[in-house]
Amino acid sequence: MSRPFTLFTGQWADLPLEEVCGLARNFGYDGLELACWGDHFEVDRALEDQDYVRGRRELLARYGLRCWAISNHLVGQAVCDRLIDERHQAILPGRIWGDGDPEGVRRRAAAEMADTARAAAALGVDTVIGFTGSSIWHLVAMFPPVPPEMVERGYADFAERWGPILDVFDAEGVRFAHEVHPGEIAYDYWTTHRALEAVDHRPAFGLNFDPSHFVWQDLDPVGFLYDFRDRIYHVDCKEARKRLDGRNGRLGSHLPWGDPRRGWDFVSAGHGDVPWEDVFRMLSSIGYDGPVSVEWEDPGMSRLQGAPEALRALKRFDFEPPTASFDAAFGGDRRS
């Protein structure tokens, strides 16, 4: 179908953007999904300096690349998280962390996400991918027993904090694509329904489809695409592989990535359990023709090998649509 294939730069943010541009061009990518960390795309500079935005565009163009979306997962995480601690300090800009007071961090993070919509508009893109955080993720085990009211308050908190942010997205003509992901307000099928209901299904709030987290939760990524077809605003291709052997657990056992005792791990696209051909066929069926972004993660493989290999693996399934139905030839002139 010749969709554009982009490389998400989040796992490459230790490198200068120009170096990543050169790599992506040589790998064969059409563009980049720019992360709002490292030096790749800085929200505050984008709003303060028109030359900065122009410079980002010129840099991409110099390497024959385009940008359809930017991503601000790290700051978005802090908007709703109930527990704000050293994990957040490690991923947030100093100006967002400030003195570390949790509510202050949440408010500054919310303001930055609103600014991210403005920065995206300045860059000329209409989609921001990210996380929401969650004030109720710590309740996922449902013990000690969780009163229903606590869960309801969590969705209300999400709607209250993200409503004003989404107002800015509306004003800027930009959409927020929430990545359905453990740790967020929407992490599986039913919590996605509840998150959409919490914000009254407003068009500014949609989804970034990343099937890697569906795999280890035993969810159907293809059915999810169909059921939420009007909310699929962006697609990230990340892969996971399960090793649930009776000792390795689904929840990871507090073990680091790549540890052989984990029940699942991220792997390069083409090396895991995502049914990519079915995914791409469903993307065609629902009419998704936007970018397909490779979010490369694999603790056991060099990214310099994995990123170009993943692109080749995924492009195999980007079929061109037929020009006519295959059974059209069965009819026609029946003269003997």
Side-chain angles (χ1 to χ4, degrees):
M1 192 172 177
S2 299
R3 299 178 183 90
F5 279 79
T6 62
L7 180 66
F8 174 48
T9 72
Q11 291 77 24
W12 306 76
D14 57 314
L15 302 178
L17 179 58
E18 183 156 12
E19 185 173 345
V20 178
C21 286
L23 289 169
R25 179 192 61 187
N26 293 338
F27 293 159
Y29 285 92
D30 302 305
L32 297 177
E33 175 193 339
L34 290 176
C36 294
W37 56 91
D39 81 332
H40 293 187
F41 191 75
E42 299 169 70
V43 170
D44 56 336
R45 290 187 64 187
L47 297 182
E48 294 168 359
D49 185 357
Q50 292 182 348
D51 289 339
Y52 175 78
V53 173
R54 183 166 56 250
R56 298 288 93 173
R57 290 198 207 101
E58 291 172 351
L59 177 57
L60 290 167
R62 192 155 61 244
Y63 287 88
L65 301 172
R66 293 185 58 191
C67 178
W68 286 266
I70 63 174
S71 296
N72 207 352
H73 295 72
L74 306 185
V75 171
Q77 184 67 45
V79 173
C80 285
D81 269 5
R82 181 173 185 268
L83 303 174
I84 301 290
D85 53 35
E86 60 265 32
R87 298 168 303 150
H88 299 79
Q89 185 177 14
I91 64 174
L92 293 173
R95 58 193 167 76
I96 306 299
W97 177 257
D99 61 3
D101 173 70
E103 187 57 26
V105 172
R106 294 185 197 104
R107 290 176 179 169
R108 287 187 292 275
E112 180 85 351
M113 292 309 296
D115 279 345
T116 305
R118 299 181 178 104
L123 185 63
V125 304
D126 64 3
T127 305
V128 171
I129 295 98
F131 291 150
T132 60
S134 172
S135 64
I136 53 175
W137 170 248
H138 67 292
L139 307 178
V140 69
M142 298 298 281
F143 190 86
V146 179
E149 295 80 9
M150 285 188 72
V151 176
E152 292 304 320
R153 287 199 298 271
Y155 286 99
D157 177 74
F158 156 67
E160 180 180 352
R161 293 182 185 277
W162 276 89
I165 300 171
L166 296 175
D167 289 343
V168 177
F169 274 77
D170 278 332
E172 297 293 336
V174 177
R175 309 176 302 179
F176 182 73
H178 169 52
E179 185 171 328
V180 178
H181 185 293
E184 311 310 320
I185 197 65
Y187 60 88
D188 63 9
Y189 185 92
W190 295 115
T191 56
T192 299
H193 270 292
R194 296 193 70 176
L196 289 166
E197 290 169 355
V199 292
D200 296 323
H201 296 270
R202 59 188 297 177
F205 186 84
L207 306 173
N208 178 54
F209 174 74
D210 173 354
S212 64
H213 297 285
F214 292 72
V215 163
W216 66 269
Q217 293 186 81
D218 285 339
L219 301 172
D220 176 11
V222 181
F224 185 94
L225 278 174
Y226 183 79
D227 287 357
F228 293 101
R229 56 194 177 276
D230 64 330
R231 292 291 165 152
I232 305 300
Y233 290 173
H234 191 265
V235 170
D236 271 359
C237 289
K238 193 159 96 261
E239 180 106 44
R241 181 169 62 196
K242 293 181 291 185
R243 294 187 303 277
L244 301 172
D245 60 3
R247 292 181 302 168
N248 297 353
R250 190 181 306 281
L251 298 183
S253 306
H254 291 300
L255 294 169
W257 303 116
D259 191 300
R261 296 170 295 171
R262 287 182 57 86
W264 65 276
D265 232 322
F266 294 124
V267 292
S268 191
H271 291 271
D273 299 324
V274 173
W276 287 117
E277 180 168 341
D278 292 341
V279 165
F280 274 82
R281 287 180 180 271
M282 183 57 76
L283 289 173
S284 295
S285 293
I286 66 175
Y288 179 83
D289 59 1
V292 172
S293 189
V294 172
E295 184 179 357
W296 185 85
E297 293 183 359
D298 190 324
M301 181 187 294
S302 164
R303 62 188 176 184
L304 296 178
Q305 175 183 342
E309 182 190 82
L311 178 62
R312 291 192 297 270
L314 294 169
K315 278 195 167 184
R316 291 176 49 232
F317 306 118
D318 192 36
F319 308 128
E320 286 292 335
T323 57
S325 173
F326 71 87
D327 59 358
F330 297 165
D333 190 346
R334 292 186 173 86
R335 290 177 297 175
S336 59

